[in-house]
Amino acid sequence: MRPFRRIVTGHTASGQAAIVEDAECPHVQTTAGAQVANLWLHEGTPRNDDVHRDPVGPDVPLPPPRGGGVLRVVEFGPRERGEAPYLHRTDSLDYAFVVAGEIVAVVGEDETVMRPGDVLIQRGTTHAWENRSDAPCTVLFVLLDAEPLVRTPPGSPVAH
């Protein structure tokens, strides 16, 4: 995965706007055949008047924190033949924006090919991502905590 530069703004002690961080994102991990860079995370309503500290810890779970959100970039490598996609569901509202490459969004019995510039708004559905091409695919995700579904569909795994 190529490195992602993370630039964070904030305020000086006198209240002036400033860049408080400008560095390569240190939170990169490999999971389920993909490289994940967790760029930002917040619990509850974000505060912009606090002192900057890196809010991303070492073990960020797949769903966002309760009442919060997470911003991440995922690079999906080509899927190995016969390898089953990681089918999952989270109690979140997710925005998925394809930056580069091509990926198949599998949602229940449906699927669609997504290319650069395409956006999927995923609303608590069982889904998977499959890179059926020969090149990596980079997707930017914003996950926001949402109320759980009243009725969980049968056979729908919920990631925690």
Side-chain angles (χ1 to χ4, degrees):
M1 175 178 233
R2 74 178 189 87
F4 285 91
R5 181 177 169 201
R6 183 174 71 171
I7 303 163
V8 181
T9 66
H11 298 91
T12 65
S14 63
Q16 294 296 314
I19 294 174
V20 297
E21 179 185 321
D22 186 346
E24 184 176 313
C25 178
H27 308 290
V28 178
Q29 58 193 136
T30 301
T31 180
Q35 293 283 328
V36 178
N38 289 297
L39 299 167
W40 198 254
L41 176 133
H42 69 87
E43 297 182 20
T45 302
R47 293 190 54 103
N48 291 329
D49 64 348
D50 60 353
V51 175
H52 169 65
R53 65 172 181 73
D54 189 345
V56 182
D59 297 314
V60 177
L62 181 62
R66 190 79 192 136
V70 64
L71 171 66
R72 67 175 46 118
V73 175
V74 179
E75 184 174 278
F76 294 92
R79 178 81 51 197
E80 296 291 326
R81 289 207 185 278
E83 184 181 358
Y86 175 55
L87 196 61
H88 61 287
R89 186 182 71 76
T90 56
D91 289 324
S92 58
L93 170 64
D94 306 344
Y95 305 124
F97 178 83
V98 178
V99 176
E102 181 178 291
I103 195 132
V104 176
V106 178
V107 181
E109 305 272 327
D110 297 329
E111 62 180 49
T112 189
V113 177
M114 295 178 64
R115 295 180 179 85
D118 291 347
V119 177
L120 180 131
I121 295 124
Q122 194 285 119
R123 302 176 56 236
T125 56
T126 301
H127 64 284
W129 302 98
E130 282 192 84
N131 182 351
R132 297 175 185 166
S133 75
D134 294 330
C137 177
T138 305
V139 182
L140 175 70
F141 290 94
V142 176
L143 288 76
L144 303 172
D145 185 44
E147 292 297 321
L149 290 173
V150 175
R151 181 177 51 91
T152 303
S156 179
V158 179
H160 297 284

